[in-house]
Every structure is written in C-alpha cells, then in structure tokens.
Amino acid sequence: MRQFAARSWRPELEASARAARVRAVDAGWLAGAALFAAGCGVLRESRVDRLWAPPAAEEVPALRAHLNRSPSDLHAVFRLASAYHSAARLEESRRLLELLLRRDPADAGATFLLGLTYEDLGLYPEARSLYERYIASADSERLARELRRRLPVIERLELRSAARSALAREPELIGAPPDPRTVAVFPFLYADVDPLLRPLGRAVSEVLAADLARASGLTVVRPERVQSLLAEMGLAARGRIDQAAGARAARLLGAELAVQGWITGGSERLTLSASIQGVGGRDAAVTQFSATSVPAQTLDLEKQLALSVFRRLGVDLSAPEWERVLNLATRDFGALLAFGRGTEALDAGDYAEAARALRRAAELDPAFELAGERARLAAEAAAAAATSTRQLSFAYWLEAGAA
C-alpha cells in the first residue's frame, strides 16, 4: 500500500488539502462511501476530519503550484492524478498515472487508480488488465477482494465493446474462414403460450453450451459473448432469429457451426427443436433436430441434441467425457426454470435479480453445480455493480490512511 503519512508537504498545501476534502465530500456521498469502506473492513476512524479521502478538485491549483516548485515529488503527482479523477478530468488523470507506471511499473496505487480511470473511460480490457495486476500484487487484500468481485462485470462490459468492434469490422470478419470445430449456441426460444416456461429456452441453451464444452478439441463460444453480439445487433430481444441472421452472427463470432433452438408445449409435453447449421465453410448444410418428452425430462432431450452436434462434427468423446456429458445438470424442473430466469437477468445486467433467481435454483437442487457457481458470481457482481469507481477511490484512500 502506498504510504502517505511520512510526507514533506508544505503546511499551506496540507491545510488546503484538509479543507478541500471536507468541502468536496457531501454528506450523502461521505456516508455511502464510509459504509462501503466499513463493509470492506477499511474504515478505522469515525470522525470526518480524520477520514482520508481522494484529493478534491479544489486541491488542483495548490498541487500544481507545489509541483512547479518540486517537479520530482511523485507523491504530489499521484495526488494530482487523484484530484483530476475526482473532478472527472479523466484524460489528465490518465496521463499522470501512466507516467507514474512507466517510472515504476510496480506502483500499486497508480495501478489501482489507473484501472478505475480506464473503466471510467470505457477502456475495459485495459481496466481488467490493471485490476488483475493489482490483485496479483497483494498490496491490499481488502481492495483486491473488491476488484475480484468487479471482474465479471468488467468482462461483460468488455464483451459488449468487443461486439461493437466486431460489427465495425464485419466485412473483414465475414470473409475470414471460421475456426475449425467452433460452435456458437444461440439462446433458445420458448415459443408457446405458457409464460412461466419462457426462461426454459435460455436455461437449455446454457446447459447445452456447457455440455458441448466438455469435449476436448471442440471450442464453444462463450454464451455471454453470443448474447453480447446479439444485443449489439438488436436481436437479443427477438427470441429466435432466422437462419440468415444466425449465420451472420456465427461468422462474426468465428464459429464453424451455429445451433439455434426453440421449445414448444406446456405442462404435459414439451418438444425441443433445433437447427444445426454449418457456417462459412464447405459444409453449409442444416441438420434438423426434434424430440418430445415430459417437462421433467427436458434435459434428456438436451442430451440428445448435444449428441447430434457431436455427430455432425465427427467428435469422438472419451469415456470420461461421455460420462460428464450424460450426467444431468439437474433433475429438478423448478431449479431449471429458476436457472433460466437468473441467466436472463444476467443477460440484462440485473445482477441482483440474477443472484436471487440463481440462488433459488441452487436451493431447489443443491447438486446443480452450474447454478451454484453462477449464483456466487452473480452475487459478487451485484455487489460490484452497486459500487462506483468513486467509492472505490475513496476506499483506497481510507485504506492508505489507515495503513
């Protein structure tokens, strides 16, 4: 942790900084940040005048004047970068922090704050890289824990950014050969009259993608990446997309095969149908799949579809792979529906609702490992999404002041 106590600040600069901290932090923000910091185990002092806060915008003139006199004072450079960040002068903050990291790549404070700045600028791959570097530095386990929670949120934002980039490069990507044995599973649609069964399509497509990924030598495009591209294409809300749009999306994803499906029926019988379509390669044929069973055996139908995909690609599963693929994720139909609701909420960025629904799925079937894992990640993402970069900056300074 960057230490701030032993500094050779001029008295007038210290006085200006203390006054600016009190003026800049309104009561609501201070209370929220203090509660956040207390939750992180960071808050050590309760009096407002003893809290360490990021330098406020009012400190910028004094800091710049100090640096004119002492340009080699790297602590002052860091404080000025923090003040710029507090004032949302992000590019100025970025330039100073990048300068600090060029001088000292191991500077944990600059790494942390530059990650926040990159996130605010929408530079999500760069933010994620710096967050991971800070986590690895072991500078503060409390702050590292907060960044670990934040990574899934940043990764989803990064996927949306990558999808926009893919659409901008569409002529180039459409003409490129697909990656061999790469499959894109599109969200399935429940195409019948019972609204309670609507999440079933999303649940089945998610489980199918997980099952296909169990085969060595087969690459499955991450469902979040598929969903991000569909959202950018304006197709995410339409449910099932036509084969032409599906083929276009699959080519943008670099997939050789696209799987699209839909479910019909009700509480008595359900039919799972799907098209398995070659994309961008020599084999552009479409294989149709359809099977019917009672709702409780929905995932048995999903297993049949998975085997059809393996056959289409000529994938030979080893005995352990067969065992993992054929193992049902859950036998509880209610848990499967709750899992679908949670996955839909994740797609929409509603992490709190996703955590509730996925936790419910795990409660209904404690053996539903995929639901339990997603519930944990969604809960952490919900906490991270409710925390702003400004609060994280405040927490950093509280931690530094208490060190």
Side-chain angles (χ1 to χ4, degrees):
M1 175 63 60
R2 181 188 285 270
Q3 298 296 317
F4 296 100
R7 299 265 178 89
S8 58
W9 297 103
R10 292 176 180 269
E12 65 270 19
L13 184 61
E14 288 279 21
S16 172
R18 285 194 296 270
R21 279 197 295 274
V22 173
R23 288 194 304 271
V25 182
D26 62 75
W29 179 46
L30 178 59
L35 286 173
F36 165 77
C40 297
V42 172
L43 189 58
R44 307 279 184 85
E45 303 283 356
S46 60
R47 290 178 55 199
V48 171
D49 60 353
R50 299 187 68 181
L51 285 176
W52 285 73
E58 290 92 334
E59 292 190 52
V60 168
L63 286 166
R64 293 183 65 172
H66 175 78
L67 282 170
N68 285 337
R69 295 188 297 270
S70 305
S72 62
D73 189 339
L74 298 185
H75 291 310
V77 174
F78 183 78
R79 288 182 63 85
L80 180 57
S82 297
Y84 280 145
H85 184 267
S86 296
R89 296 168 63 173
L90 299 177
E91 286 294 347
E92 291 163 294
S93 178
R94 171 186 177 178
R95 285 195 293 272
L96 291 178
L97 292 166
E98 287 176 343
L99 171 65
L100 286 174
L101 282 181
R102 283 196 296 271
R103 292 184 134 184
D104 181 7
D107 187 325
T111 299
F112 187 90
L113 186 59
L114 185 55
L116 301 183
T117 304
Y118 281 151
E119 180 181 341
D120 288 335
L121 288 168
L123 301 173
Y124 302 118
E126 293 84 352
R128 177 176 52 80
S129 177
L130 287 185
Y131 288 164
E132 290 171 346
R133 188 195 302 183
Y134 184 88
I135 291 168
S137 75
D139 186 60
S140 164
E141 178 53 35
R142 298 181 183 96
L143 296 178
R145 183 167 60 247
E146 295 304 315
L147 293 186
R148 287 191 200 98
R149 292 175 177 173
R150 201 166 194 83
L151 285 178
V153 178
I154 294 298
E155 288 170 358
R156 284 185 175 267
L157 292 170
E158 186 178 350
L159 287 173
R160 291 295 296 267
S161 178
R164 286 191 290 273
S165 176
L167 285 172
R169 298 170 51 224
E170 183 168 359
E172 171 193 347
L173 296 175
I174 288 292
D179 297 326
R181 289 197 170 188
T182 298
V183 180
V185 178
F186 291 89
F188 288 10
L189 170 69
Y190 174 71
D192 220 312
V193 296
D194 189 343
L196 294 178
L197 297 181
R198 179 186 50 77
L200 189 59
R202 194 66 186 85
V204 170
S205 63
E206 195 78 11
V207 173
L208 175 63
D211 279 344
L212 295 179
R214 300 182 192 280
S216 58
L218 185 64
T219 300
V220 179
V221 180
R222 289 175 58 188
E224 309 96 287
R225 187 177 166 216
V226 174
Q227 191 68 25
S228 294
L229 179 61
L230 294 181
E232 289 300 316
M233 294 173 68
L235 300 173
R238 296 187 190 178
R240 184 183 175 219
I241 59 178
D242 61 41
Q243 288 185 356
R248 175 193 171 205
R251 283 195 293 270
L252 288 171
L253 294 165
E256 183 181 36
L257 206 67
V259 182
Q260 296 176 256
W262 57 102
I263 299 170
T264 56
S267 59
E268 298 297 325
R269 304 286 288 181
L270 289 175
T271 298
L272 172 62
S273 304
S275 63
I276 307 167
Q277 180 181 6
V279 178
R282 290 177 295 178
D283 181 9
V286 178
T287 300
Q288 299 292 346
F289 171 90
S290 185
T292 301
S293 187
V294 295
Q297 295 179 344
T298 299
L299 289 188
D300 292 291
L301 304 181
E302 177 269 327
K303 300 300 180 188
Q304 296 177 37
L305 175 55
L307 298 180
S308 295
V309 175
F310 290 138
R311 283 195 296 269
R312 171 67 185 266
L313 287 171
V315 173
D316 292 321
L317 298 173
S318 66
E321 289 171 343
W322 272 109
E323 183 177 352
R324 289 194 295 271
V325 168
L326 293 178
N327 181 47
L328 290 180
T330 182
R331 296 183 181 276
D332 189 305
F333 189 68
L336 187 63
L337 283 174
F339 177 73
R341 287 194 298 274
T343 304
E344 288 180 334
L346 278 177
D347 293 339
D350 188 346
Y351 299 110
E353 175 58 30
R356 283 191 290 270
L358 291 167
R359 187 165 54 245
R360 178 58 177 162
E363 289 169 352
L364 288 171
D365 182 0
F368 194 173
E369 294 180 358
L370 189 58
E373 176 188 347
R374 296 286 174 82
R376 179 183 59 80
L377 292 175
E380 293 185 348
T387 304
S388 68
T389 56
R390 200 175 191 189
Q391 287 173 310
L392 284 174
S393 174
F394 200 125
Y396 172 82
W397 281 83
L398 287 170
E399 177 83 336

PDB file of all heavy atoms in Angstrom, residues 12 29 53 62-63 65-66 73 76 88 108 131-132 143 169 205 253-254 290 350 361 366 378 384 391 403:
ATOM      1  N   GLU A  12       0.940  24.988   3.970  1.00  0.00           N
ATOM      2  CA  GLU A  12      -0.235  25.567   3.315  1.00  0.00           C
ATOM      3  C   GLU A  12      -0.912  24.545   2.401  1.00  0.00           C
ATOM      4  O   GLU A  12      -2.122  24.560   2.221  1.00  0.00           O
ATOM      5  CB  GLU A  12       0.161  26.824   2.522  1.00  0.00           C
ATOM      6  CG  GLU A  12       1.104  26.583   1.341  1.00  0.00           C
ATOM      7  CD  GLU A  12       2.567  26.666   1.744  1.00  0.00           C
ATOM      8  OE1 GLU A  12       2.863  26.550   2.958  1.00  0.00           O
ATOM      9  OE2 GLU A  12       3.414  26.858   0.860  1.00  0.00           O
ATOM     10  N   TRP A  29     -22.636  11.346  -0.035  1.00  0.00           N
ATOM     11  CA  TRP A  29     -21.543  10.545  -0.596  1.00  0.00           C
ATOM     12  C   TRP A  29     -20.625  10.035   0.498  1.00  0.00           C
ATOM     13  O   TRP A  29     -20.195   8.895   0.497  1.00  0.00           O
ATOM     14  CB  TRP A  29     -20.765  11.392  -1.606  1.00  0.00           C
ATOM     15  CG  TRP A  29     -19.620  10.646  -2.217  1.00  0.00           C
ATOM     16  CD1 TRP A  29     -19.641   9.380  -2.716  1.00  0.00           C
ATOM     17  CD2 TRP A  29     -18.283  11.106  -2.347  1.00  0.00           C
ATOM     18  NE1 TRP A  29     -18.393   9.034  -3.178  1.00  0.00           N
ATOM     19  CE2 TRP A  29     -17.539  10.075  -2.962  1.00  0.00           C
ATOM     20  CE3 TRP A  29     -17.638  12.299  -2.022  1.00  0.00           C
ATOM     21  CZ2 TRP A  29     -16.194  10.198  -3.254  1.00  0.00           C
ATOM     22  CZ3 TRP A  29     -16.289  12.419  -2.324  1.00  0.00           C
ATOM     23  CH2 TRP A  29     -15.583  11.380  -2.931  1.00  0.00           C
ATOM     24  N   ALA A  53      -9.617  10.981   2.279  1.00  0.00           N
ATOM     25  CA  ALA A  53     -10.463  10.983   1.094  1.00  0.00           C
ATOM     26  C   ALA A  53      -9.614  11.343  -0.110  1.00  0.00           C
ATOM     27  O   ALA A  53      -8.561  11.962   0.027  1.00  0.00           O
ATOM     28  CB  ALA A  53     -11.602  11.990   1.249  1.00  0.00           C
ATOM     29  N   ALA A  62      -3.372  24.139  -5.855  1.00  0.00           N
ATOM     30  CA  ALA A  62      -2.286  24.028  -4.878  1.00  0.00           C
ATOM     31  C   ALA A  62      -1.323  22.912  -5.256  1.00  0.00           C
ATOM     32  O   ALA A  62      -0.099  23.059  -5.107  1.00  0.00           O
ATOM     33  CB  ALA A  62      -2.864  23.794  -3.486  1.00  0.00           C
ATOM     34  N   LEU A  63      -1.853  21.805  -5.746  1.00  0.00           N
ATOM     35  CA  LEU A  63      -0.993  20.689  -6.145  1.00  0.00           C
ATOM     36  C   LEU A  63      -0.128  21.064  -7.338  1.00  0.00           C
ATOM     37  O   LEU A  63       1.066  20.735  -7.392  1.00  0.00           O
ATOM     38  CB  LEU A  63      -1.850  19.462  -6.457  1.00  0.00           C
ATOM     39  CG  LEU A  63      -2.446  18.739  -5.247  1.00  0.00           C
ATOM     40  CD1 LEU A  63      -3.542  17.774  -5.679  1.00  0.00           C
ATOM     41  CD2 LEU A  63      -1.339  17.985  -4.498  1.00  0.00           C
ATOM     42  N   ALA A  65       0.798  24.076  -8.176  1.00  0.00           N
ATOM     43  CA  ALA A  65       1.799  25.041  -7.708  1.00  0.00           C
ATOM     44  C   ALA A  65       2.937  24.328  -6.984  1.00  0.00           C
ATOM     45  O   ALA A  65       4.120  24.655  -7.166  1.00  0.00           O
ATOM     46  CB  ALA A  65       1.146  26.070  -6.786  1.00  0.00           C
ATOM     47  N   HIS A  66       2.587  23.342  -6.159  1.00  0.00           N
ATOM     48  CA  HIS A  66       3.614  22.565  -5.455  1.00  0.00           C
ATOM     49  C   HIS A  66       4.516  21.837  -6.444  1.00  0.00           C
ATOM     50  O   HIS A  66       5.746  21.813  -6.277  1.00  0.00           O
ATOM     51  CB  HIS A  66       2.941  21.573  -4.514  1.00  0.00           C
ATOM     52  CG  HIS A  66       3.909  20.646  -3.839  1.00  0.00           C
ATOM     53  ND1 HIS A  66       4.676  21.029  -2.769  1.00  0.00           N
ATOM     54  CD2 HIS A  66       4.241  19.358  -4.121  1.00  0.00           C
ATOM     55  CE1 HIS A  66       5.442  20.009  -2.393  1.00  0.00           C
ATOM     56  NE2 HIS A  66       5.190  18.990  -3.201  1.00  0.00           N
ATOM     57  N   ASP A  73       8.463  15.371  -7.093  1.00  0.00           N
ATOM     58  CA  ASP A  73       7.676  14.820  -5.980  1.00  0.00           C
ATOM     59  C   ASP A  73       6.589  13.901  -6.549  1.00  0.00           C
ATOM     60  O   ASP A  73       5.507  14.348  -6.943  1.00  0.00           O
ATOM     61  CB  ASP A  73       7.054  15.955  -5.175  1.00  0.00           C
ATOM     62  CG  ASP A  73       6.401  15.457  -3.884  1.00  0.00           C
ATOM     63  OD1 ASP A  73       6.085  14.250  -3.801  1.00  0.00           O
ATOM     64  OD2 ASP A  73       6.201  16.284  -2.975  1.00  0.00           O
ATOM     65  N   ALA A  76       3.145  13.935  -4.950  1.00  0.00           N
ATOM     66  CA  ALA A  76       2.285  15.034  -5.389  1.00  0.00           C
ATOM     67  C   ALA A  76       1.693  14.740  -6.762  1.00  0.00           C
ATOM     68  O   ALA A  76       0.544  15.100  -7.045  1.00  0.00           O
ATOM     69  CB  ALA A  76       3.075  16.339  -5.422  1.00  0.00           C
ATOM     70  N   ALA A  88     -13.420  14.253 -12.481  1.00  0.00           N
ATOM     71  CA  ALA A  88     -13.810  13.655 -13.772  1.00  0.00           C
ATOM     72  C   ALA A  88     -12.987  14.219 -14.930  1.00  0.00           C
ATOM     73  O   ALA A  88     -13.445  14.213 -16.074  1.00  0.00           O
ATOM     74  CB  ALA A  88     -15.298  13.826 -14.033  1.00  0.00           C
ATOM     75  N   ALA A 108       1.567   0.158  -6.849  1.00  0.00           N
ATOM     76  CA  ALA A 108       0.227  -0.409  -6.671  1.00  0.00           C
ATOM     77  C   ALA A 108      -0.851   0.671  -6.681  1.00  0.00           C
ATOM     78  O   ALA A 108      -1.940   0.471  -7.223  1.00  0.00           O
ATOM     79  CB  ALA A 108       0.168  -1.205  -5.369  1.00  0.00           C
ATOM     80  N   TYR A 131      -6.602  -4.299 -13.066  1.00  0.00           N
ATOM     81  CA  TYR A 131      -7.220  -4.889 -11.887  1.00  0.00           C
ATOM     82  C   TYR A 131      -6.552  -6.228 -11.554  1.00  0.00           C
ATOM     83  O   TYR A 131      -6.268  -6.527 -10.391  1.00  0.00           O
ATOM     84  CB  TYR A 131      -8.713  -5.096 -12.106  1.00  0.00           C
ATOM     85  CG  TYR A 131      -9.533  -3.813 -12.120  1.00  0.00           C
ATOM     86  CD1 TYR A 131     -10.827  -3.805 -12.629  1.00  0.00           C
ATOM     87  CD2 TYR A 131      -9.021  -2.624 -11.621  1.00  0.00           C
ATOM     88  CE1 TYR A 131     -11.589  -2.639 -12.644  1.00  0.00           C
ATOM     89  CE2 TYR A 131      -9.764  -1.460 -11.634  1.00  0.00           C
ATOM     90  CZ  TYR A 131     -11.055  -1.471 -12.146  1.00  0.00           C
ATOM     91  OH  TYR A 131     -11.799  -0.318 -12.152  1.00  0.00           O
ATOM     92  N   GLU A 132      -6.306  -7.030 -12.572  1.00  0.00           N
ATOM     93  CA  GLU A 132      -5.659  -8.326 -12.337  1.00  0.00           C
ATOM     94  C   GLU A 132      -4.236  -8.139 -11.817  1.00  0.00           C
ATOM     95  O   GLU A 132      -3.768  -8.891 -10.967  1.00  0.00           O
ATOM     96  CB  GLU A 132      -5.666  -9.144 -13.630  1.00  0.00           C
ATOM     97  CG  GLU A 132      -7.054  -9.632 -14.025  1.00  0.00           C
ATOM     98  CD  GLU A 132      -7.098 -10.262 -15.404  1.00  0.00           C
ATOM     99  OE1 GLU A 132      -6.113 -10.074 -16.164  1.00  0.00           O
ATOM    100  OE2 GLU A 132      -8.097 -10.928 -15.725  1.00  0.00           O
ATOM    101  N   LEU A 143      -8.926  -4.526  -0.813  1.00  0.00           N
ATOM    102  CA  LEU A 143      -9.217  -3.910  -2.102  1.00  0.00           C
ATOM    103  C   LEU A 143      -9.145  -4.932  -3.228  1.00  0.00           C
ATOM    104  O   LEU A 143      -9.924  -4.863  -4.185  1.00  0.00           O
ATOM    105  CB  LEU A 143      -8.251  -2.754  -2.359  1.00  0.00           C
ATOM    106  CG  LEU A 143      -8.353  -1.589  -1.380  1.00  0.00           C
ATOM    107  CD1 LEU A 143      -7.314  -0.521  -1.707  1.00  0.00           C
ATOM    108  CD2 LEU A 143      -9.742  -0.986  -1.373  1.00  0.00           C
ATOM    109  N   ARG A 169     -16.020  -4.225 -37.916  1.00  0.00           N
ATOM    110  CA  ARG A 169     -15.096  -4.949 -38.808  1.00  0.00           C
ATOM    111  C   ARG A 169     -15.805  -6.054 -39.581  1.00  0.00           C
ATOM    112  O   ARG A 169     -15.177  -6.989 -40.055  1.00  0.00           O
ATOM    113  CB  ARG A 169     -13.966  -5.555 -37.966  1.00  0.00           C
ATOM    114  CG  ARG A 169     -13.113  -4.549 -37.222  1.00  0.00           C
ATOM    115  CD  ARG A 169     -12.192  -5.245 -36.229  1.00  0.00           C
ATOM    116  NE  ARG A 169     -11.452  -6.325 -36.853  1.00  0.00           N
ATOM    117  CZ  ARG A 169     -11.281  -7.534 -36.299  1.00  0.00           C
ATOM    118  NH1 ARG A 169     -11.822  -7.807 -35.116  1.00  0.00           N
ATOM    119  NH2 ARG A 169     -10.579  -8.459 -36.924  1.00  0.00           N
ATOM    120  N   SER A 205     -30.309 -23.727 -23.515  1.00  0.00           N
ATOM    121  CA  SER A 205     -29.172 -23.338 -24.363  1.00  0.00           C
ATOM    122  C   SER A 205     -27.903 -23.184 -23.532  1.00  0.00           C
ATOM    123  O   SER A 205     -26.804 -23.525 -23.986  1.00  0.00           O
ATOM    124  CB  SER A 205     -29.476 -22.040 -25.115  1.00  0.00           C
ATOM    125  OG  SER A 205     -29.666 -20.954 -24.231  1.00  0.00           O
ATOM    126  N   LEU A 253     -18.644 -14.319 -34.996  1.00  0.00           N
ATOM    127  CA  LEU A 253     -18.063 -14.968 -33.818  1.00  0.00           C
ATOM    128  C   LEU A 253     -16.957 -15.953 -34.184  1.00  0.00           C
ATOM    129  O   LEU A 253     -16.332 -16.541 -33.302  1.00  0.00           O
ATOM    130  CB  LEU A 253     -19.157 -15.691 -33.029  1.00  0.00           C
ATOM    131  CG  LEU A 253     -20.215 -14.793 -32.379  1.00  0.00           C
ATOM    132  CD1 LEU A 253     -21.428 -15.610 -31.949  1.00  0.00           C
ATOM    133  CD2 LEU A 253     -19.636 -14.028 -31.200  1.00  0.00           C
ATOM    134  N   GLY A 254     -16.744 -16.161 -35.479  1.00  0.00           N
ATOM    135  CA  GLY A 254     -15.718 -17.090 -35.921  1.00  0.00           C
ATOM    136  C   GLY A 254     -16.102 -18.544 -35.788  1.00  0.00           C
ATOM    137  O   GLY A 254     -15.232 -19.422 -35.779  1.00  0.00           O
ATOM    138  N   SER A 290     -35.467 -32.744 -33.555  1.00  0.00           N
ATOM    139  CA  SER A 290     -36.713 -32.550 -32.820  1.00  0.00           C
ATOM    140  C   SER A 290     -36.975 -33.776 -31.962  1.00  0.00           C
ATOM    141  O   SER A 290     -36.802 -34.914 -32.419  1.00  0.00           O
ATOM    142  CB  SER A 290     -37.889 -32.328 -33.778  1.00  0.00           C
ATOM    143  OG  SER A 290     -39.071 -32.038 -33.058  1.00  0.00           O
ATOM    144  N   ASP A 350     -28.975  -7.264 -14.771  1.00  0.00           N
ATOM    145  CA  ASP A 350     -29.644  -7.128 -13.472  1.00  0.00           C
ATOM    146  C   ASP A 350     -29.043  -8.177 -12.537  1.00  0.00           C
ATOM    147  O   ASP A 350     -29.617  -9.252 -12.320  1.00  0.00           O
ATOM    148  CB  ASP A 350     -31.156  -7.324 -13.628  1.00  0.00           C
ATOM    149  CG  ASP A 350     -31.926  -7.003 -12.351  1.00  0.00           C
ATOM    150  OD1 ASP A 350     -31.285  -6.883 -11.289  1.00  0.00           O
ATOM    151  OD2 ASP A 350     -33.167  -6.893 -12.420  1.00  0.00           O
ATOM    152  N   ALA A 361     -32.371 -21.505  -7.589  1.00  0.00           N
ATOM    153  CA  ALA A 361     -32.102 -22.742  -8.323  1.00  0.00           C
ATOM    154  C   ALA A 361     -31.192 -23.658  -7.519  1.00  0.00           C
ATOM    155  O   ALA A 361     -31.424 -24.874  -7.442  1.00  0.00           O
ATOM    156  CB  ALA A 361     -31.471 -22.412  -9.675  1.00  0.00           C
ATOM    157  N   PRO A 366     -29.388 -28.608  -4.562  1.00  0.00           N
ATOM    158  CA  PRO A 366     -28.014 -28.308  -4.143  1.00  0.00           C
ATOM    159  C   PRO A 366     -26.958 -28.989  -5.016  1.00  0.00           C
ATOM    160  O   PRO A 366     -25.804 -28.558  -5.011  1.00  0.00           O
ATOM    161  CB  PRO A 366     -27.970 -28.847  -2.704  1.00  0.00           C
ATOM    162  CG  PRO A 366     -29.395 -28.818  -2.242  1.00  0.00           C
ATOM    163  CD  PRO A 366     -30.204 -29.155  -3.467  1.00  0.00           C
ATOM    164  N   ALA A 378     -22.921 -14.138  -9.543  1.00  0.00           N
ATOM    165  CA  ALA A 378     -23.925 -13.077  -9.682  1.00  0.00           C
ATOM    166  C   ALA A 378     -24.003 -12.232  -8.421  1.00  0.00           C
ATOM    167  O   ALA A 378     -24.164 -11.007  -8.493  1.00  0.00           O
ATOM    168  CB  ALA A 378     -25.284 -13.685 -10.007  1.00  0.00           C
ATOM    169  N   ALA A 384     -20.528  -5.580  -6.790  1.00  0.00           N
ATOM    170  CA  ALA A 384     -19.610  -4.742  -7.549  1.00  0.00           C
ATOM    171  C   ALA A 384     -20.342  -3.690  -8.363  1.00  0.00           C
ATOM    172  O   ALA A 384     -19.920  -2.534  -8.432  1.00  0.00           O
ATOM    173  CB  ALA A 384     -18.759  -5.618  -8.478  1.00  0.00           C
ATOM    174  N   GLN A 391     -16.443   5.445  -5.267  1.00  0.00           N
ATOM    175  CA  GLN A 391     -16.409   4.793  -3.955  1.00  0.00           C
ATOM    176  C   GLN A 391     -15.152   3.952  -3.793  1.00  0.00           C
ATOM    177  O   GLN A 391     -14.558   3.902  -2.714  1.00  0.00           O
ATOM    178  CB  GLN A 391     -17.662   3.934  -3.767  1.00  0.00           C
ATOM    179  CG  GLN A 391     -18.929   4.735  -3.534  1.00  0.00           C
ATOM    180  CD  GLN A 391     -20.151   3.847  -3.518  1.00  0.00           C
ATOM    181  OE1 GLN A 391     -20.344   3.039  -4.419  1.00  0.00           O
ATOM    182  NE2 GLN A 391     -20.976   4.001  -2.507  1.00  0.00           N
ATOM    183  N   ALA A 403      -3.268   2.621   6.980  1.00  0.00           N
ATOM    184  CA  ALA A 403      -2.131   1.688   6.957  1.00  0.00           C
ATOM    185  C   ALA A 403      -1.043   2.123   7.935  1.00  0.00           C
ATOM    186  O   ALA A 403      -0.870   3.302   8.216  1.00  0.00           O
ATOM    187  CB  ALA A 403      -1.571   1.606   5.547  1.00  0.00           C
TER     188      ALA A 403
END
